[in-house]
Amino acid sequence: MKRIIFLLLTFSSLHVLAQDGQLSGRIMDTTEKKPLQYAVVSLLHKKDSTLAGFKRTDKEGQFSFNELTNGRYIVLVSYPKFADLSDEYEVNGSTNLGLIALTPKSALLEEVIVRSGQAIRIKGDTTEFTADSFMVKEGATVEDLMKKLPGFQVNSKGEITAQGKRVDKVLVDGEEFFGDDPTMATQNISSKAVDKVQVYDTKTEQQNLTGISSGNEGKTINIKLKENAKKGAFGKAHAGSDFSDYYDAKALYNQFLGKKKISLYGTKSNLNTGSLNWEEREKLGMEQDMEYDEIGGYYFSFGTDDGFNDWSLRGLPDSYTAGGLYSNKFNEDKQGLNLSYRFNRLGTENVGSNKAQYSRTTGTDYRNVFTNSNGWNEQHAVNGKFEWKLDSLTTLKLTTSGIRKTTDLISKTLTEFLDANRVMKNNSDQSRISASTKLQSDNLFTYRQMFNKKNRLLIATMRFGYIEDDQEGTLTTVANFYKGGNLDSTGITDQLKTFDGNSQTIGGKVTFSEPLTDKLSLVLDYAYNTNHSTSYRNSFNKSTGGKYDVLDSLYSNNFELEAASHSTLAILKYAGKKLKFAFGSGLSSVRLDLADLDSSKSNQYDFLKVTPQAQIGYTIKPQTNISFTYRGTTRQPTINQLQPLKDNTDPLNVFSGNPDLKLGFNHSFSTFFNQYKVLSRRGMWVSMSYSVTNHAIVNSTVLDTATGKQTYSPVNVNGVSNWYMYASWNKGGGDRKLGYGFNINANGGKNINFMDRVRNETEYAMLNAGFSLSYERSEKYSIEMRPQLGYNVSKSSIQLAAKNNYFSYGGWLTGYLKLPAKMELRSEVNFDLREKTERFNTSTNIINWNAHISKQVFKDKSGKIYLVANDLLNQNKGFSRSINSSVITEDRYSRIGQYFLLKFEWTFNKMPGTK
């Protein structure tokens, strides 16, 4: 009996010890400063959101929960006609929350700010993150914040992927921040200045109006700043060197005066391009609207790659950049101005090689290319936008962009071609010297008219685009041809090549939306575009006097192109609370007049196509959505593919145009699903797409077996298809909480080409899967890992026995540790490992380990001294492998390797609340 009493007393003691927590507080009205009686206070366990209890407040607005287990809880407070409140607290003994203020819903209309406690909200197509709900270390930038957001990934180059799509635009308070350079905002704005981060699909105004997107859009991020962060100035500057070979310097100044923003920057580095370009944009940072511009693929394209981005860099850089931004809203926000200027100068030196293997019915042959090049690019770019709200219903907007770019290139290229027995068929030694100047301007005028009738809207646009391109250079090639491994003949090309191109595009479009009911509307669209292009490509041989003045008519071509298109669209759109859908069809008519000025011949093309499209979306429940999209779009041949121009830039691989090409048509299907549970911080995103093209344009390659010379030209085929799938799931994260998740990224399809007039079908697929683990503790330390496993499959119909499949392994591991004496240690390891293949029997494994240790200096901690170590294992190699139809290539190029750098950084912040 005594033992039983002892056990009961022991159990009771343990129970009392485990239930010793208490939570209390008082609920008040923020406007009238009165206690709220009978308010409902619910208490939930944080770990599983189960109910721990609920109370009603007394006449003094007080509540109390007793005998609680110590731990973290979520408090939910609700009261009629007041905004609900949710927040998280930790109970450890007796915890008094003090006064908890509720705000009347009517006061919210007067822009009274209420702390909602919701880390994530999904409003239609927009996902919104509350910045303060995600803990980041002291001095963190927006980029550091985004690494904490569910569904986001940020790589070492600053590229951001959100919900499986690449982020191609970043706005600050809805405005462009240095035009087409998102990294300027993400890497330089402090996370403390951010109120909300919004992410949504990048769409034009017309796409928002019709409710149908193309399915290929990237993501746009809008950084909403806190009101108190819009006054004052902030900036940073750093300078670093190894006092021998490398240097890196940057300065950035930002000033916010209410709605006025002023920013200046400059960089000098031979460690990177000083890139202020995230992704090449065909319209120089302007709103993309090519889905209706039916002649977009026809008018002569002179190339848009400005060569200033780090992720396409081939070689060792030497860069200078500078720029400025001015943005302001005035006259009671009726007028807004956004201007930016950017200057880039980049020199590169590169030693590289490209090894390619071609599958043919007779076996495999090999082409190796070795290059040594020096290039110099310089660019001036201007972007401007002026918006004028004439009244509450009418808005005018003028957007303009322009660039001037000069390029100089000196290169030496050695090429060799071997047959299936690796016997030499030909080789060449080529030298090129070229210089070019390019001018490009794009201007868009938009008129937006709303009406007194709700949802009635008219949008009219006019666009003028201009391109001028001038190039001149010399090409010298010595080509050797072999028989049985012995030299048989030699061909020499020594020419001056000139190119003068000009393109002018004028277009207009009107889109009108008429509401039929409160939820149903009809959207009508008409567009007309016209383009005039000229191209003068001429090759000159040397005369007996040594001058390049003898025209080579075989490799010269001069033409003019007139293109005009009419397109219409009718869409029926429904917008309900949960269900949204839109469907309809367009009709496009295109006429091309291509005049060959050398032969006085002309070709006329007329294309007529129906372009059906539909999109449906359904909100299953709050923050759980699913959507489906179908689009039928034309695939136009480019003018390069249509014109019968022969190009001997590479005399062993000659391209010839095909004036008989047909218009292609693409069927595209895509679906998207997302779900997020706020209390458990669990999110899931799934995206899938499939497309198939009729009359797809592919290459037909013919090999001269005697000389090894290849000729290729475009032809039409049916059956080309591709698919894509992305899925991610994650949960948890935050201070002292394990975050984990997984993701799958896969794509594949069927490519078709012709090898020696034999149809070759290549089926390919890539599957990449990985998981993530992260843990951090109150800025003391953090660790995150994202290992990846990939498998690549490729099968060619003309060589079914060839084994092209291989595994790839990769991912990254990063960690942070706060040390004594205001010191920090950060390290990141990137893995890129590939399996050997039957055709490439050497493994190219890259483990890039970077680290730095830093110490804060000055009383306000505004200074930092860094010791930077790049590529500690000295394995950073320029390498890529690709499988495309019947061709497998491995590309190698120069890349900056191991170095150690001493760097000083100074950050200043003259914002409200800072010293």
Side-chain angles (χ1 to χ4, degrees):
M1 186 65 179
K2 292 181 179 179
R3 291 183 178 179
I4 294 174
I5 294 174
F6 176 78
L7 290 173
L8 289 173
L9 290 173
T10 303
F11 178 81
S12 300
S13 300
L14 292 173
H15 180 72
V16 170
L17 289 173
Q19 302 280 333
D20 61 350
Q22 184 185 43
L23 184 69
S24 60
R26 190 180 182 197
I27 309 300
M28 296 286 292
D29 177 356
T30 57
T31 56
E32 297 185 3
K33 308 299 180 184
K34 294 181 180 180
L36 295 178
Q37 187 179 8
Y38 303 124
V40 177
V41 183
S42 302
L43 191 66
L44 287 74
H45 291 286
K46 175 65 179 65
K47 61 181 180 180
D48 55 9
S49 301
T50 57
L51 185 67
F54 71 94
K55 301 281 185 179
R56 286 189 180 273
T57 56
D58 60 19
K59 62 181 180 180
E60 298 299 326
Q62 295 178 345
F63 69 91
S64 177
F65 292 91
N66 300 313
E67 297 184 356
L68 296 176
T69 303
N70 289 337
R72 300 188 74 84
Y73 291 84
I74 295 172
V75 176
L76 302 176
V77 184
S78 61
Y79 192 82
K81 298 183 180 180
F82 281 72
D84 293 342
L85 182 142
S86 168
D87 214 336
E88 179 181 332
Y89 299 95
E90 182 168 2
V91 174
N92 188 4
S94 180
T95 304
N96 192 326
L97 304 181
L99 293 178
I100 298 177
L102 296 187
T103 302
K105 292 181 179 178
S106 59
L108 293 179
L109 299 177
E110 300 172 3
E111 300 182 350
V112 176
I113 299 174
V114 178
R115 183 179 181 184
S116 69
Q118 281 202 320
I120 298 179
R121 292 177 182 268
I122 297 177
K123 305 175 182 178
D125 297 331
T126 301
T127 304
E128 183 179 84
F129 301 86
T130 301
D132 289 342
S133 298
F134 300 89
M135 182 172 290
V136 292
K137 67 181 183 68
E138 184 71 24
T141 63
V142 172
E143 183 176 287
D144 298 319
L145 171 64
M146 289 181 180
K147 292 179 180 179
K148 305 292 184 182
L149 303 183
F152 278 65
Q153 290 185 8
V154 184
N155 65 16
S156 59
K157 299 171 183 176
E159 295 173 296
I160 298 175
T161 301
Q163 302 171 1
K165 293 185 177 181
R166 181 170 176 172
V167 173
D168 52 20
K169 182 185 290 187
V170 171
L171 308 177
V172 178
D173 285 332
E175 293 289 336
E176 295 277 2
F177 195 76
F178 279 108
D180 58 357
D181 176 38
T183 59
M184 287 298 293
T186 60
Q187 295 181 355
N188 294 291
I189 294 179
S190 169
S191 63
K192 284 188 175 181
V194 180
D195 179 29
K196 299 286 194 302
V197 175
Q198 298 173 328
V199 58
Y200 46 87
D201 286 338
T202 304
K203 296 180 181 179
T204 64
E205 282 194 283
Q206 280 82 1
Q207 287 176 330
N208 286 321
L209 193 59
T210 61
I212 298 179
S213 58
S214 68
N216 299 317
E217 295 87 5
K219 289 289 184 178
T220 293
I221 289 175
N222 182 32
I223 302 168
K224 298 185 68 175
L225 300 179
K226 298 174 181 176
E227 286 302 317
N228 64 359
K230 298 178 183 179
K231 298 177 182 178
F234 69 92
K236 64 166 59 176
H238 75 243
S241 176
D242 68 345
F243 306 101
S244 176
D245 300 315
Y246 297 112
Y247 51 86
D248 182 52
K250 178 179 180 181
L252 174 73
Y253 172 81
N254 303 272
Q255 185 177 48
F256 291 83
L257 300 172
K259 293 165 185 177
K260 182 189 297 184
K261 303 182 184 73
I262 299 174
S263 297
L264 300 169
Y265 75 91
T267 72
K268 175 72 177 81
S269 178
N270 66 353
L271 295 177
N272 54 64
T273 65
S275 170
L276 295 184
N277 282 319
W278 189 304
E279 182 181 53
E280 239 349 85
R281 308 265 294 278
E282 188 172 0
K283 291 298 176 184
L284 309 178
M286 297 194 52
E287 291 182 357
Q288 299 300 296
D289 194 16
M290 298 299 290
E291 64 272 16
Y292 301 121
D293 187 356
E294 292 296 329
I295 66 172
Y298 291 113
Y299 64 76
F300 197 90
S301 173
F302 304 110
T304 56
D305 182 10
D306 68 6
F308 293 108
N309 53 73
D310 279 306
W311 29 94
S312 65
L313 177 66
R314 295 292 188 268
L316 308 179
D318 186 12
S319 67
Y320 303 79
T321 68
L325 166 78
Y326 174 82
S327 176
N328 194 13
K329 290 185 177 181
F330 38 88
N331 193 13
E332 298 179 345
D333 289 350
K334 292 181 180 179
Q335 295 166 344
L337 181 66
N338 187 301
L339 298 172
S340 67
Y341 165 74
R342 182 176 83 242
F343 169 74
N344 301 78
R345 177 180 289 179
L346 173 65
T348 55
E349 296 181 9
N350 185 40
V351 177
S353 66
N354 181 281
K355 297 183 178 181
Q357 301 183 12
Y358 296 81
S359 298
R360 305 183 190 277
T361 55
T362 55
T364 302
D365 44 50
Y366 308 87
R367 184 173 186 261
N368 303 318
V369 180
F370 306 93
T371 60
N372 192 327
S373 64
N374 288 271
W376 192 260
N377 295 335
E378 184 174 291
Q379 178 174 277
H380 301 266
V382 178
N383 292 271
K385 181 172 68 174
F386 177 74
E387 192 166 0
W388 186 9
K389 295 181 180 178
L390 299 179
D391 52 44
S392 60
L393 300 176
T394 309
T395 303
L396 301 177
K397 183 170 67 174
L398 175 63
T399 310
T400 182
S401 299
I403 63 169
R404 182 184 186 276
K405 179 183 175 184
T406 58
T407 302
D408 295 285
L409 175 67
I410 300 175
S411 68
K412 186 176 181 61
T413 304
L414 301 176
T415 304
E416 58 183 21
F417 192 84
L418 298 86
D419 64 16
N421 298 316
R422 295 188 183 271
V423 175
M424 183 75 68
K425 299 295 293 184
N426 64 57
N427 59 35
S428 68
D429 186 349
Q430 182 183 90
S431 297
R432 294 183 64 187
I433 301 176
S434 65
S436 66
T437 301
K438 175 182 177 180
L439 298 174
Q440 184 169 347
S441 174
D442 202 350
N443 306 275
L444 180 70
F445 177 78
T446 303
Y447 170 77
R448 180 185 178 94
Q449 179 67 60
M450 296 185 292
F451 300 87
N452 290 324
K453 185 176 182 179
K454 184 180 178 181
N455 295 330
R456 178 181 287 173
L457 179 64
L458 173 70
I459 299 176
T461 61
M462 290 193 65
R463 167 170 280 162
F464 172 70
Y466 177 80
I467 303 175
E468 183 177 318
D469 203 352
D470 299 313
Q471 301 176 19
E472 184 174 291
T474 58
L475 172 70
T476 304
T477 305
V478 178
N480 299 310
F481 300 92
Y482 296 82
K483 282 187 178 180
N486 298 315
L487 182 64
D488 178 67
S489 62
T490 298
I492 298 177
T493 301
D494 186 7
Q495 291 185 331
L496 171 70
K497 292 186 173 292
T498 63
F499 169 64
D500 296 309
N502 183 283
S503 173
Q504 299 179 41
T505 303
I506 299 176
K509 177 161 51 174
V510 178
T511 306
F512 180 71
S513 175
E514 175 64 22
L516 304 178
T517 67
D518 289 342
K519 298 179 180 180
L520 191 66
S521 59
L522 177 66
V523 182
L524 301 175
D525 182 285
Y526 169 75
Y528 173 74
N529 289 277
T530 181
N531 170 263
H532 176 75
S533 299
T534 60
S535 172
Y536 300 93
R537 290 181 178 269
N538 292 295
S539 298
F540 298 91
N541 296 315
K542 278 184 179 180
S543 63
T544 55
K547 294 183 178 181
Y548 293 102
D549 53 10
V550 179
L551 180 69
D552 188 336
S553 58
L554 179 62
Y555 296 110
S556 298
N557 181 254
N558 301 285
F559 70 89
E560 288 186 353
L561 171 70
E562 293 286 347
S565 74
H566 300 266
S567 63
T568 61
L569 178 70
I571 295 292
L572 191 64
K573 178 182 175 182
Y574 176 84
K577 185 175 181 180
K578 287 195 170 185
L579 177 66
K580 296 179 181 180
F581 66 80
F583 66 89
S585 181
L587 182 67
S588 67
S589 171
V590 179
R591 166 162 288 194
L592 304 178
D593 289 299
L594 179 62
D596 190 326
L597 302 181
D598 298 318
S599 62
S600 299
K601 294 181 180 179
S602 62
N603 290 318
Q604 188 176 91
Y605 303 85
D606 289 285
F607 299 123
L608 180 66
K609 277 292 181 181
V610 178
T611 55
Q613 44 197 283
Q615 184 163 320
I616 183 170
Y618 184 71
T619 301
I620 301 172
K621 56 183 179 179
Q623 302 186 4
T624 302
N625 304 275
I626 188 169
S627 64
F628 173 82
T629 302
Y630 164 76
R631 279 178 63 88
T633 52
T634 56
R635 289 290 183 265
Q636 306 96 334
T638 67
I639 192 62
N640 285 333
Q641 294 169 330
L642 286 172
Q643 65 170 333
L645 171 67
K646 291 186 179 295
D647 182 8
N648 68 333
T649 303
D650 182 353
L652 303 180
N653 292 272
V654 179
F655 173 80
S656 179
N658 180 2
D660 298 322
L661 287 174
K662 298 178 181 179
L663 184 72
F665 192 82
N666 178 261
H667 301 274
S668 176
F669 307 85
S670 63
T671 185
F672 179 72
F673 172 82
N674 71 273
Q675 181 185 69
Y676 190 80
K677 296 188 176 181
V678 176
L679 296 181
S680 61
R681 292 193 178 185
R682 186 178 69 188
M684 180 169 63
W685 289 267
V686 179
S687 175
M688 294 183 289
S689 68
Y690 172 80
S691 68
V692 60
T693 304
N694 297 328
H695 297 304
I697 299 173
V698 302
N699 281 331
S700 175
T701 305
V702 177
L703 174 68
D704 185 336
T705 56
T707 63
K709 184 177 179 179
Q710 292 187 127
T711 302
Y712 59 100
S713 60
V715 296
N716 290 109
V717 298
N718 291 324
V720 174
S721 64
N722 62 76
W723 57 267
Y724 166 82
M725 191 273 284
Y726 169 83
S728 73
W729 181 94
N730 52 69
K731 183 178 180 181
D735 186 36
R736 302 190 185 189
K737 299 172 186 176
L738 183 67
Y740 52 95
F742 68 86
N743 65 83
I744 297 175
N745 192 349
N747 64 77
K750 179 167 70 174
N751 288 333
I752 300 174
N753 68 343
F754 291 86
M755 299 297 293
D756 302 322
R757 299 183 177 86
V758 176
R759 181 184 174 104
N760 175 44
E761 297 186 359
T762 302
E763 296 181 359
Y764 67 96
M766 183 281 292
L767 174 64
N768 195 29
F771 67 91
S772 63
L773 287 173
S774 63
Y775 186 81
E776 62 179 297
R777 181 177 177 183
S778 303
E779 299 185 17
K780 292 183 178 179
Y781 62 84
S782 68
I783 186 169
E784 183 173 3
M785 60 184 298
R786 291 180 179 267
Q788 299 282 333
L789 172 64
Y791 188 63
N792 296 264
V793 178
S794 178
K795 182 174 65 175
S796 171
S797 62
I798 61 176
Q799 279 204 5
L800 294 174
K803 297 180 179 180
N804 301 320
N805 307 340
Y806 66 92
F807 281 98
S808 60
Y809 315 88
W812 51 270
L813 172 67
T814 182
Y816 162 80
L817 179 62
K818 189 172 184 178
L819 301 172
K822 300 179 182 179
M823 298 181 67
E824 299 175 347
L825 175 65
R826 184 174 292 276
S827 179
E828 180 176 294
V829 185
N830 290 276
F831 302 89
D832 188 3
L833 315 176
R834 286 177 173 81
E835 186 183 23
K836 298 178 182 179
T837 68
E838 183 180 84
R839 300 187 178 186
F840 294 101
N841 56 12
T842 59
S843 295
T844 301
N845 298 327
I846 302 172
I847 302 177
N848 188 15
W849 182 13
N850 303 320
H852 73 250
I853 187 169
S854 64
K855 177 177 173 57
Q856 291 179 328
V857 294
F858 307 145
K859 288 183 179 181
D860 60 358
K861 301 179 182 179
S862 62
K864 263 190 180 183
I865 298 175
Y866 291 82
L867 178 59
V868 180
N870 185 75
D871 191 17
L872 282 163
L873 303 180
N874 201 22
Q875 292 188 7
N876 194 25
K877 309 165 188 173
F879 173 83
S880 65
R881 178 189 292 170
S882 66
I883 299 176
N884 182 18
S885 297
S886 57
V887 183
I888 304 176
T889 63
E890 281 196 353
D891 192 25
R892 299 173 186 266
Y893 47 90
S894 300
R895 178 180 280 182
I896 294 174
Q898 188 181 81
Y899 65 81
F900 299 91
L901 202 72
L902 184 65
K903 184 174 78 171
F904 172 73
E905 179 182 86
W906 175 62
T907 303
F908 75 91
N909 192 339
K910 299 297 182 181
M911 309 296 280
T914 62
K915 297 181 181 179

